[in-house]
Amino acid sequence: MKLKKGIPVIDQGDKLGFWGGKFGGNFVPETLKKPIEDLEILFNKLRKDKNFINERDRYFKNWVGSPTRFIKLENLTKHVGGAQIWSKVVSDANGGAHKIYNATVHCLLAKRSGKKVICGDTGAGYAGKMLSMAAKKFGLKCKIFMGAKDIQRQQPNVRAMKKNGAEVIPVYSGSQTLVDAVSECMRYWVANCDKVAMCVGSTVGPAIFVRICGWSTSQISRELKTQLIDEFGSIPKKLKLYNCVGGGSSSFGFWNEFMDYDKKQCEFIGVEAGGPANSKKHAAPLTYGSKIGILHGAAQYVNQNTDGQIEETESISAGLDYPGISPLHCFLKDTKRARYTAASDEEALNAYKVVTKFEKLRPSLEPSHAFSVAIAESKRLSKDTIVVVNSCGDAYKDRGIIERRLGKKYV
Amino acid sequence: MFNPISLAFKKAASENRPALLTYTVAGDSSKKQSLEILKSISKKVDILEIGFPHNTPVADGSQIQTSSYRAIKNGIKINDIFKIIKDFKKFDKNKPVILMGYYNMIFQYGENKFLRKCKISGVNGLIVVDLPWPENKKFASKCKKRSIFFIQLLSPTTTKNRLKKIIKDSHEMIYFISMLSTTGGKLKVSSKEILYNYDKIKKINSKKNIVIGFGITEKTIKSLKKADGLVVGSAICKEITNSIKKRQNPVTNVYNVVNRLRNKIK
């Protein structure tokens, strides 16, 4: 298995949509074959269309608010006493997280295809909130599927979705989290694909959704590349990019433009959700060596039992609480381009405490996982190493959990 | 080699009626009871479809999901499913059995091992919901080698060009999904429209046995009588759920439903 240079990773899949010959694909009911093919044709055409690119860039700039800040975390760097710690504050983006890029692109595509309704899944509520914002912006009706457990723990985002006019549909099946929300959303699309467009909230699902999402979030690394050159004159000799990984959309977008650099110069570190320290359950299929299986239309490493039943996950962070992982990350792991590890709930909470103590930055529980590993590893790194953590979400949505776990003064 | 599925269609055609196919989830509500249900409905049904339950089913509506979760919760494993089929075949060895489910379970078990087990237990056909054409080409030919029908699915969204290619690669039986829906949805298109699509498929190759499924209940079954076969699934799963709720015997209740279905297409 080999990563090719000079070709975008999203285009390195084979004819049937498999990366490295085995990750991804289209394991979908027959009914979805046609709508998926239609979407493929539309996307392949529009991404080469200058007008479409200009339209996208205009919305990214004027509405999403590009570029998001790239800042040095001076106090944290001093406190840790090793590598320089920087952050790409993607949570600056309109709505407070990276999910806005994929949502905007999907709504633009839906508009071009003439669909009037868009449906989507959400875990932490960000994908849903952004889709509801974009749908409102582009005059589309919006339906969001969300696990009943997640609705309970991510109330601020649920309120935002409703305020934007979206219908939030609670999903009571299975573990009542993201995995069930994605299943239910796909089922809704199966039954309504003639009139409704679907937005998959991360780089997961049938191959075309993986590609569209990766293409959309790559805006993050496009900005970062320019910002690094502005700051340092060139891409630093020792650069380490830390990102949390749930489905994998923010991390893929954070790394994409640096793919062709040697990993000795530019290393990618993906941090999965290890779950509570005292629990066997986790949401870290890459770190803990889960077997390859099929989930939501794609072959990927996924938590499952020997019979092929998908296993329940556990994580404090709803956005990372997913048993599978993007086929793109499976590919990056097996080609050894990226390194993956996990942080526990407690480690993430602790990192949140440390970051908010030293900096005017409030990473949500998802990027707090990445901060945890970045802080731990930075201690042992030289001062000329540039560590960048993608702060891809804002902690506002987590205030309930943070208050409960850490006390009121941390909210 | 001879496959009893073909014979079942011939027999139904000779009686001037569609074949009746039922779908139940293996292990619903228990291993023992699902076998009892199969035995009791066997003489009223031409082909038995047996679902191997998966916990992230992307094409099933709430009725079959409920049945699947119930079976999984009660501990059903793939090997138990093969055992149920084997035991059933001891009771009625000529009744054709089709296994239906999602690809991950076959993938984890191993395609070859899975097919060997199918052969030993007496499975005559396979439907894999999320392994569409052309992704299923290799697996379908493996099935053919072992004289197990791989049953292709067609949908109202399948383009004409694609229809032709799939039918060309299909074995003797094809499953036509009546409408855009998950299983168990309310029939939202007219039977006239369904039969119009059915005829389009039939015209491409009249030798194939085409069954219609999704949304078929006691109310709708009669209007689709001219098909080669009709599949009822969710209505049966729902009956099991209701029987449990009312503390009645699912075996007798399911038998009664199937009996009524059969009488409607006599």
Side-chain angles (χ1 to χ4, degrees):
Chain A
M1 200 178 289
K2 239 182 149 178
L3 194 66
K4 291 183 201 124
K5 282 194 176 171
I7 303 172
V9 180
I10 61 163
D11 296 329
Q12 290 189 30
D14 63 18
K15 245 184 166 172
L16 293 175
F18 289 101
W19 282 272
K22 62 177 187 181
F23 301 117
N26 285 290
F27 296 90
V28 295
E30 173 63 23
T31 303
L32 292 185
K33 274 290 201 180
K34 175 76 168 48
I36 281 174
E37 194 193 309
D38 290 346
L39 187 59
E40 262 166 13
I41 293 168
L42 183 69
F43 174 66
N44 289 341
K45 192 182 97 190
L46 288 177
R47 66 188 281 216
K48 287 186 204 124
D49 178 339
K50 272 205 182 111
N51 288 332
F52 184 75
I53 300 292
N54 288 340
E55 192 184 4
R56 177 198 70 178
D57 289 346
R58 212 167 48 241
Y59 282 114
F60 277 2
K61 187 166 171 244
N62 300 330
W63 186 59
V64 172
S66 290
T68 57
R69 283 176 300 157
F70 171 58
I71 56 170
K72 187 171 183 188
L73 304 179
E74 298 273 3
N75 301 329
L76 186 64
T77 299
K78 241 181 246 160
H79 168 74
V80 172
Q84 295 180 38
I85 305 177
W86 294 66
S87 181
K88 173 82 176 142
V89 192
V90 173
S91 59
D92 281 350
N94 194 3
H98 66 285
K99 298 285 186 196
I100 191 71
Y101 302 110
N102 186 45
T104 304
V105 169
H106 268 287
C107 285
L108 286 171
L109 289 170
K111 248 183 65 180
R112 297 278 178 129
S113 70
K115 303 254 169 85
K116 303 270 192 299
V117 185
I118 192 159
C119 67
D121 57 79
T122 196
Y126 271 135
K129 178 181 165 191
M130 307 311 173
L131 190 61
S132 70
M133 280 168 56
K136 189 177 172 194
K137 174 93 184 159
F138 297 111
L140 297 161
K141 264 180 88 176
C142 180
K143 280 177 192 280
I144 302 294
F145 294 86
M146 187 170 188
K149 181 178 167 190
D150 289 338
I151 288 186
Q152 224 166 33
R153 62 177 166 172
Q154 307 278 235
Q155 267 299 315
N157 278 348
V158 176
R159 280 196 294 274
M161 283 182 259
K162 288 184 176 160
K163 223 178 106 194
N164 291 329
E167 184 187 349
V168 181
I169 299 152
V171 179
Y172 295 102
S173 55
S175 58
Q176 311 193 357
T177 58
L178 180 57
V179 62
D180 309 292
V182 180
S183 301
E184 191 61 26
C185 186
M186 282 181 82
R187 287 191 279 261
Y188 180 78
W189 200 43
V190 168
N192 297 282
C193 56
D194 51 341
K195 295 183 193 80
V196 175
M198 179 171 77
C199 167
V200 177
S202 188
T203 38
V204 300
I208 183 61
F209 292 98
V210 174
R211 292 176 63 224
I212 293 175
C213 185
W215 185 79
S216 308
T217 53
S218 292
Q219 173 69 14
I220 303 169
S221 50
R222 264 197 303 278
E223 290 174 15
L224 179 61
K225 204 170 177 182
T226 314
Q227 288 166 324
L228 281 167
I229 292 168
D230 282 352
E231 186 68 40
F232 301 103
S234 62
I235 302 299
K237 288 278 169 293
K238 293 179 201 166
L239 178 66
K240 292 182 188 295
L241 303 180
Y242 289 82
N243 207 125
C244 59
V245 187
S249 60
S250 74
S251 45
F252 182 79
F254 188 50
W255 299 342
N256 188 41
E257 288 290 320
F258 302 95
M259 215 47 89
D260 287 353
Y261 287 85
D262 192 286
K263 72 174 172 192
K264 278 184 202 139
Q265 180 181 2
C266 181
E267 194 188 10
F268 304 154
I269 303 97
V271 183
E272 296 185 297
N278 59 6
S279 168
K280 275 192 181 147
K281 285 191 202 160
H282 60 83
L286 293 179
T287 306
Y288 296 125
S290 300
K291 275 179 71 181
I292 186 168
I294 318 294
L295 175 63
H296 296 141
Q300 61 199 275
Y301 293 116
V302 53
N303 298 352
Q304 58 183 322
N305 68 17
T306 51
D307 245 22
Q309 306 291 0
I310 305 304
E311 273 179 346
E312 278 190 20
T313 52
E314 194 175 358
S315 168
I316 191 169
S317 134
L320 306 180
D321 209 350
Y322 187 69
I325 173 81
S326 174
L328 297 172
H329 286 290
C330 299
F331 185 49
L332 293 179
K333 186 190 179 209
D334 278 18
T335 53
K336 300 197 165 67
R337 180 63 188 89
R339 165 163 72 88
Y340 296 88
T341 179
S344 68
D345 286 2
E346 291 76 7
E347 286 166 330
L349 282 166
N350 198 44
Y352 172 84
K353 248 161 74 174
V354 173
V355 173
T356 49
K357 182 175 168 194
F358 289 102
E359 301 290 342
K360 229 183 116 194
L361 185 69
R362 305 177 80 74
S364 67
L365 289 170
E366 289 80 15
S368 292
H369 283 74
F371 271 109
S372 162
V373 174
I375 290 169
E377 292 188 356
S378 290
K379 282 179 198 156
R380 298 186 300 269
L381 293 171
S382 61
K383 288 195 164 31
D384 60 343
T385 305
I386 309 299
V387 161
V388 189
V389 186
N390 180 359
S391 192
C392 56
D394 181 87
Y396 179 72
K397 69 169 179 73
D398 294 324
R399 43 194 314 171
I401 302 168
I402 288 165
E403 188 180 331
R404 224 169 25 254
R405 296 291 295 265
L406 298 176
K408 219 170 186 137
K409 68 172 180 166
Y410 286 99
V411 176
Chain B
M1 214 174 101
F2 167 79
N3 189 318
I5 293 175
S6 309
L7 190 69
F9 282 112
K10 264 190 203 131
K11 184 171 169 265
S14 74
E15 291 168 12
N16 216 1
R17 61 171 178 88
L20 178 62
L21 293 85
T22 54
Y23 170 95
T24 49
V25 174
D28 182 27
S29 66
S30 66
K31 295 169 206 168
K32 198 174 145 226
Q33 197 174 64
S34 73
L35 176 62
E36 276 171 36
I37 289 175
L38 294 174
K39 284 180 178 175
S40 88
I41 60 178
S42 176
K43 56 182 170 296
K44 295 286 169 191
V45 175
D46 298 289
I47 299 169
L48 292 163
E49 275 183 22
I50 300 172
F52 47 104
H54 188 46
N55 68 356
T56 51
V58 291
D60 285 307
S62 62
Q63 301 301 346
I64 292 181
Q65 279 182 53
T66 305
S67 280
S68 299
Y69 290 133
R70 194 158 51 215
I72 294 167
K73 208 176 148 211
N74 288 340
I76 193 87
K77 298 269 187 213
I78 296 189
N79 283 330
D80 302 323
I81 298 167
F82 287 123
K83 173 107 188 352
I84 290 172
I85 295 168
K86 213 171 172 180
D87 288 345
F88 170 76
K89 286 273 175 156
K90 278 182 205 153
F91 169 81
D92 187 351
K93 72 174 183 336
N94 295 323
K95 187 66 62 181
V97 165
I98 292 171
L99 258 186
M100 178 170 184
Y102 290 83
Y103 183 63
N104 193 40
M105 297 184 67
I106 299 174
F107 185 61
Q108 296 312 318
Y109 203 81
E111 285 186 353
N112 295 330
K113 191 178 154 202
F114 189 88
L115 288 173
R116 260 199 313 277
K117 271 284 207 175
C118 283
K119 200 71 208 166
I120 296 168
S121 338
V123 173
N124 309 103
L126 276 172
I127 301 175
V128 189
V129 180
D130 57 348
L131 194 63
W133 188 91
E135 281 85 351
N136 61 32
K137 276 183 166 181
K138 259 192 214 154
F139 185 65
S141 70
K142 276 186 188 177
C143 292
K144 198 167 190 179
K145 266 187 211 146
R146 291 172 171 85
S147 311
I148 294 170
F149 285 169
F150 182 87
I151 294 141
Q152 298 281 358
L153 293 145
L154 300 173
S155 148
T157 58
T158 312
T159 56
K160 193 152 187 207
N161 193 21
R162 197 174 148 80
L163 276 181
K164 283 185 188 158
K165 288 180 185 162
I166 297 177
I167 292 170
K168 193 167 161 273
D169 276 354
S170 70
H171 302 163
E172 278 173 49
M173 173 184 160
I174 295 172
Y175 191 126
F176 174 59
I177 298 166
S178 63
M179 57 178 171
L180 299 191
S181 172
T182 49
T183 53
K186 208 173 165 199
L187 209 55
K188 59 182 178 184
V189 291
S190 67
S191 27
K192 207 174 137 196
E193 190 182 332
I194 296 169
L195 290 172
Y196 172 79
N197 287 328
Y198 171 87
D199 284 338
K200 265 202 317 206
I201 298 164
K202 205 69 189 168
K203 254 180 220 152
I204 297 172
N205 185 343
S206 63
K207 283 187 192 133
K208 305 282 182 184
N209 292 302
I210 320 280
V211 303
I212 303 177
F214 283 42
I216 297 180
T217 59
E218 286 182 51
K219 270 189 193 138
T220 56
I221 193 163
K222 206 171 172 180
S223 64
L224 296 164
K225 235 177 106 165
K226 71 171 263 198
D228 295 329
L230 295 167
V231 190
V232 184
S234 296
I236 295 173
C237 294
K238 191 177 169 184
E239 190 60 34
I240 298 176
T241 302
N242 288 345
S243 305
I244 294 169
K245 261 191 212 151
K246 290 187 213 149
R247 296 171 180 262
Q248 291 171 350
N249 184 358
V251 184
T252 23
N253 285 359
V254 168
Y255 174 83
N256 290 337
V257 170
V258 172
N259 191 30
R260 288 198 297 270
L261 286 164
R262 177 61 190 268
N263 285 335
K264 293 219 157 102
I265 52 167
K266 239 204 279 235

